[in-house]
């Protein structure tokens, strides 16, 4: 009995040591890699014109729900041909949901139930990363009805911050002769895949892409927390004062 008790105490001590050691590594790493945001862009000053966007967070993937008209206006002001073409292509819809991810995994795994661990591991750990795609969906319904199983985070951006976000989004599209490159039908609803810039890997997942666009809009983000959708949701809540709709 005493021997079993001693073993249990040793095991507990080892577990506690490991927890403290991991925390001792992750907490400084999160702090060192945190992005400060831009107070001149976010949050918008009281009374200033703003644009409302939403983070759509699923079990393993996140994307951004953006007002199409504001996006088209920002694209036209900046002369972003690829983004102009996309907003015109989905001109019948008031909002666009846009996500970025591994070209193979994104197409093959539309839901968590379809998860293929072999594809997931290949996407995350291929040396040098893998080709990426953008997924664009035309959305007409209210956000809660359009994404009933997802977590939604509402963000009010300054007009200048939204223009920065739109510019970063435009740079995510791979282009040919100045036009976005369509890469096949999307996963649900009125949607399309587009060829994308960047390489997908463990250090650059879809949630990092979403966080990167929000960081361009002036929001503070923490890449280490943003690996998973729920980490990104909490990051936006803690550091940017975001809230559910």
């Amino acid at each position: 009995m005493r021997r079993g008790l001693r073993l249990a105490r040793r095991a507990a001590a080892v577990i506690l040591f490991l927890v403290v050691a991991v925390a001792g590594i992750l907490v400084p790493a999160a702090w060192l890699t945190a992005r400060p945001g831009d107070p001149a862009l976010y949050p918008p000053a009281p009374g200033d014109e703003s644009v409302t966007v939403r983070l759509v967070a699923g079990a393993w993937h996140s994307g951004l729900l953006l007002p199409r008209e504001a996006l088209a206006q920002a694209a036209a002001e900046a002369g972003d041909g690829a983004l102009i073409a996309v907003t015109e292509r989905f001109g019948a819809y008031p909002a666009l949901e846009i996500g970025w991810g591994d070209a193979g995994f994104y197409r093959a795994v539309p839901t968590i139930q379809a998860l293929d661990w072999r594809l997931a591991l290949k996407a995350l750990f291929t040396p040098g990363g893998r080709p990426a795609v953008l997924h664009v969906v035309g959305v007409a319904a209210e956000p809660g009805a359009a994404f009933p199983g997802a977590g939604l985070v509402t963000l009010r951006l300054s007009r200048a911050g939204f223009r920065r976000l739109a510019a970063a989004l435009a740079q995510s599209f791979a282009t040919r002769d100045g036009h976005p490159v369509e890469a096949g039908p999307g996963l649900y609803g009125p949607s399309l895949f587009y060829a994308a810039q960047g390489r997908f890997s463990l250090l650059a997942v879809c949630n990092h892409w979403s966080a990167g666009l929000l960081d361009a809009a002036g929001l503070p983000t923490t890449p280490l927390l943003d690996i998973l959708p729920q980490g990104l949701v909490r990051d936006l809540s803690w550091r940017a004062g975001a809230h559910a709709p």
Side-chain angles (χ1 to χ4, degrees):
M1 178 66 115
R2 290 182 178 176
R3 185 166 182 262
L5 199 56
R6 285 198 300 270
L7 289 174
R9 287 174 176 170
R10 288 176 184 173
V14 169
I15 292 171
L16 178 61
F17 172 78
L18 291 175
V19 169
V20 171
V22 170
I25 294 171
L26 294 182
V27 171
W31 180 77
L32 288 171
T33 58
R35 298 168 177 169
D38 187 344
L41 297 176
Y42 182 88
D48 283 0
E49 187 178 6
S50 63
V51 180
T52 298
V53 307
R54 290 178 174 87
L55 176 80
V56 181
W60 55 270
H61 175 80
S62 70
L64 295 175
L65 184 64
L66 308 173
R68 190 201 60 80
E69 186 175 346
L71 197 60
Q73 180 181 344
E77 290 173 354
D80 290 321
L83 203 51
I84 290 172
V86 171
T87 55
E88 289 178 349
R89 183 76 165 79
F90 289 87
Y93 302 94
L96 302 180
E97 187 229 353
I98 306 179
W100 178 94
D102 175 77
F105 184 82
Y106 206 161
R107 297 174 205 251
V109 187
T111 66
I112 192 66
Q113 290 78 18
L115 180 62
D116 184 328
W117 285 107
R118 291 171 300 177
L119 282 177
L121 293 173
K122 187 176 181 180
L124 292 170
F125 296 108
T126 295
R130 285 170 50 82
V133 290
L134 286 157
H135 187 244
V136 181
V137 186
V139 179
E142 288 298 311
F147 306 99
L152 296 171
V153 178
T154 299
L155 299 157
R156 191 170 70 90
L157 307 183
S158 65
R159 180 64 69 171
F162 184 79
R163 286 195 292 266
R164 296 277 187 92
L165 182 151
L169 173 60
Q171 293 175 4
S172 293
F173 285 89
T175 59
R176 183 183 300 133
D177 298 326
H179 300 285
V181 181
E182 294 186 11
L187 299 174
Y188 49 83
S191 59
L192 287 171
F193 279 109
Y194 289 88
Q197 299 285 2
R199 306 283 292 182
F200 184 95
S201 71
L202 180 62
L203 298 179
V205 299
C206 56
N207 308 302
H208 288 139
W209 178 86
S210 298
L213 262 62
L214 295 174
D215 184 69
L219 279 73
T221 57
T222 312
L224 191 62
L225 296 180
D226 301 339
I227 295 173
L228 296 174
Q230 290 308 310
L232 175 55
V233 169
R234 284 167 175 73
D235 187 20
L236 295 175
S237 174
W238 293 336
R239 300 194 62 211
H243 60 86

